[in-house]
Amino acid sequence: MAALPLLVEVGFIATLSGILARAETERAAERITRRETSLNARFFGQMSLAPYLLALSVYTKSEKVKRLFHHEIDLIKETQQELIAYYKKYPYLVPERTLQKALRVQDQMYMLLTEAEKAIDADPTEMSANLEKLAESFRRAQDLVRNDIAKGFADGEIKTIAVQDGLQQTLLFQYIVLILGILGNVGLGIFLAFFYRRTILERINVIAKNTEAISGKGWLIPQIGGDDEIGKLDHAFHLMYKSLLKASEMEKALFNNASDVICVLDENNEFIRINPAGIRTWGFPLEKLSKKALSTIVIEEDQAKIASMIELAKQESESSAQGAESSTASAAAPSFEAGIRTRTGEVRFGLWSIYWSAEVQNLFCIFHDITEHRTVEQERKSFLAMISSDLQKPLVQISESVEKLSLGAVEGLPDKARERLNIAERNLKRLLVLV
């Protein structure tokens, strides 16, 4: 379908080129015919003028007229040679038999004029006496060719008229083809406009709407199909949309099913989103936290810490965007401990990881609850402190007693007993270090 306009234009150009070539051929034929007629007219005009110049030079005995006669004879010879060369160049202008006959008559007339020219130069008086005889011979020669001359002129005129008629018909046909070509091009342009609108423009509009749907998280228009570039592009859009939907579903599943609290804050550190784990852990539904600053739920002693960490995250994100040497987004996210006050007033501590996105101007926070871990750790430390305090005093007393025995506080101990007392003393010191 796309090659149809090209084929139409090629056909139109080929037709127009053929018509122009034919018109040029007919113009050339007209020029050749007109040239032939002109040469014949000039030759026979010169042949008709020469006898009169001859007679005038005899009667007037004028040297000027005589020179004119001689000059006319030269012109007749030149025209004859030019006419012969023209017929050889374009042999189709006149049949060979007619040409030979015309040449014989021309030669006979030329010989008569040449003899008259010589007679004038030799003896003008004798030439005057023989002038009637010469004129009679010249008239007989003219009578022989008059019919051929008239027929030649008539044929030339007929040829000229025929060529002109053919040329006019060719020009008329050329104009008709041009008008039809223009109308065809206009019709083809209108057809291509509708074709473009239906097959290209409307499909491009579908792709534009699909692009808006992807950016606005809407539904795509069904595939337009086709094996061309637009169809392949639309197919790629649908594949990308499916991938985005899959990634969005995975993100939503991760966000909703995570055990840690995940929340999103705007550039003013106010809540935009929070996952169900945050509602369970902190007790605040989203409508209670929406447009509420993070600092309102952070305990007072940790507010300065979390503010500085947010500022640090923003600086690291900007440095990474500018191409500075920095770690990846996950490694660049600062981690720290801070406590928040829940809706019930309970303080819960968590390990925070925050990341600032300069592109969307949002702060992403993950809160891993470590309240129970901190409680267990504190109880463990209390237990260890209690154990250390209760065991340290008796161990010190036992160590001192063993040390005295090993130093000889009791006489008469066997060497083996002293050796064991030394071992017990070392173990007690090691145990005291542990406690």
Side-chain angles (χ1 to χ4, degrees):
M1 190 65 181
L4 179 60
L6 181 60
L7 293 176
V8 172
E9 291 297 328
V10 169
F12 173 69
I13 292 173
T15 304
L16 186 59
S17 299
I19 294 172
L20 292 175
R22 180 181 173 186
E24 185 61 30
T25 302
E26 292 183 354
R27 287 193 185 94
E30 181 185 10
R31 289 193 296 268
I32 292 170
T33 304
R34 288 185 178 276
R35 176 64 176 166
E36 178 201 8
T37 305
S38 174
L39 288 174
N40 277 310
R42 188 174 69 183
F43 177 77
F44 289 109
Q46 292 169 348
M47 292 292 290
S48 299
L49 180 61
Y52 293 104
L53 291 176
L54 174 62
L56 187 62
S57 66
V58 171
Y59 288 123
T60 60
K61 297 182 175 57
S62 172
E63 290 295 327
K64 184 177 181 180
V65 177
K66 186 179 179 180
R67 285 195 300 271
L68 287 175
F69 174 72
H70 290 314
H71 178 68
E72 195 67 22
I73 294 299
D74 295 335
L75 291 178
I76 290 172
K77 187 63 176 178
E78 292 177 4
T79 305
Q80 185 185 27
Q81 295 299 325
E82 186 176 354
L83 193 59
I84 291 172
Y86 201 75
Y87 280 129
K88 288 182 178 179
K89 184 176 181 180
Y90 304 105
Y92 61 87
L93 292 174
V94 64
E96 181 66 23
R97 182 178 178 182
T98 304
L99 177 61
Q100 295 299 328
K101 182 179 179 181
L103 290 177
R104 285 196 300 271
V105 173
Q106 290 175 10
D107 290 339
Q108 184 180 358
M109 294 173 69
Y110 183 75
M111 288 175 60
L112 291 173
L113 291 174
T114 305
E115 290 176 0
E117 182 183 17
K118 293 178 180 179
I120 290 175
D121 293 336
D123 189 358
T125 304
E126 185 180 352
M127 180 60 198
S128 178
N130 296 326
L131 185 59
E132 290 295 332
K133 181 180 178 180
L134 180 62
E136 182 64 26
S137 300
F138 197 80
R139 276 194 299 272
R140 283 197 303 270
Q142 282 185 324
D143 290 338
L144 291 174
V145 80
R146 183 176 289 113
N147 293 332
D148 291 337
I149 293 172
K151 186 176 181 302
F153 277 110
D155 292 342
E157 190 64 24
I158 291 172
K159 290 179 183 177
T160 303
I161 293 172
V163 170
Q164 288 177 345
D165 291 340
L167 181 59
Q168 289 178 355
Q169 292 178 1
T170 302
L171 291 176
L172 179 61
F173 185 63
Q174 177 181 343
Y175 293 146
I176 293 173
V177 171
L178 282 174
I179 293 173
L180 292 177
I182 292 172
L183 294 176
N185 278 321
V186 172
L188 183 62
I190 295 173
F191 169 75
L192 289 177
F194 282 104
F195 177 79
Y196 172 77
R197 179 180 178 83
R198 182 174 181 83
T199 61
I200 299 178
L201 189 60
E202 292 181 358
R203 302 170 80 200
I204 291 176
N205 288 333
V206 170
I207 292 179
K209 291 179 181 178
N210 285 339
T211 304
E212 294 176 358
I214 290 177
S215 61
K217 297 182 179 179
W219 295 101
L220 295 188
I221 301 174
Q223 292 192 36
I224 57 179
D227 295 331
D228 57 350
E229 290 76 5
I230 299 177
K232 292 179 181 178
L233 180 61
D234 184 65
H235 180 67
F237 262 99
H238 280 78
L239 291 179
M240 180 176 63
Y241 180 70
K242 292 179 181 178
S243 300
L244 289 175
L245 282 180
K246 185 177 180 180
S248 178
E249 291 296 328
M250 293 176 63
E251 177 197 0
K252 188 181 296 183
L254 179 63
F255 185 80
N256 293 331
N257 299 318
S259 59
D260 292 339
V261 178
I262 302 175
C263 56
V264 183
L265 284 68
D266 61 13
E267 64 272 14
N268 298 320
N269 300 332
E270 296 178 351
F271 285 94
I272 300 176
R273 294 175 62 194
I274 186 170
N275 68 339
I279 299 174
R280 291 193 304 267
T281 304
W282 294 350
F284 293 103
L286 180 59
E287 55 270 16
K288 294 292 183 180
L289 290 176
S290 181
K291 298 301 179 182
K292 194 173 183 179
L294 177 63
S295 59
T296 58
I297 65 172
V298 177
I299 60 177
E300 294 181 359
E301 54 268 30
D302 289 337
Q303 287 185 4
K305 179 196 294 186
I306 201 167
S308 63
M309 289 298 178
I310 291 174
E311 187 64 27
L312 177 62
K314 290 182 178 181
Q315 292 176 359
E316 290 183 350
S317 178
E318 291 175 358
S319 299
S320 177
Q322 293 173 359
E325 293 184 1
S326 60
S327 55
T328 61
S330 59
S335 298
F336 57 93
E337 293 185 9
I340 60 103
R341 195 172 301 277
T342 65
R343 189 179 183 185
T344 60
E346 178 188 3
V347 176
R348 300 196 69 84
F349 291 91
L351 181 64
W352 291 76
S353 296
I354 59 176
Y355 171 70
W356 170 256
S357 174
E359 183 176 358
V360 297
Q361 294 290 298
N362 285 159
L363 184 69
F364 299 89
C365 304
I366 299 176
F367 176 88
H368 178 66
D369 195 344
I370 59 172
T371 304
E372 286 77 10
H373 176 73
R374 282 171 62 95
T375 302
V376 171
E377 185 66 19
Q378 289 177 357
E379 291 178 354
R380 185 184 68 82
K381 288 181 179 180
S382 299
F383 176 76
L384 290 176
M386 181 188 67
I387 294 298
S388 297
S389 176
D390 292 344
L391 290 178
Q392 192 172 16
K393 188 178 290 185
L395 286 176
V396 170
Q397 293 175 357
I398 294 173
S399 177
E400 290 177 351
S401 299
V402 171
E403 184 178 2
K404 289 178 181 181
L405 289 174
S406 63
L407 292 175
V410 179
E411 297 181 358
L413 288 175
D415 292 338
K416 190 172 182 180
R418 290 181 182 280
E419 182 179 351
R420 291 188 175 276
L421 285 172
N422 290 331
I423 295 173
E425 182 183 2
R426 288 195 298 271
N427 289 335
L428 284 170
K429 289 181 178 180
R430 197 177 295 118
L431 185 59
L432 283 172
V433 173
L434 293 175
V435 173

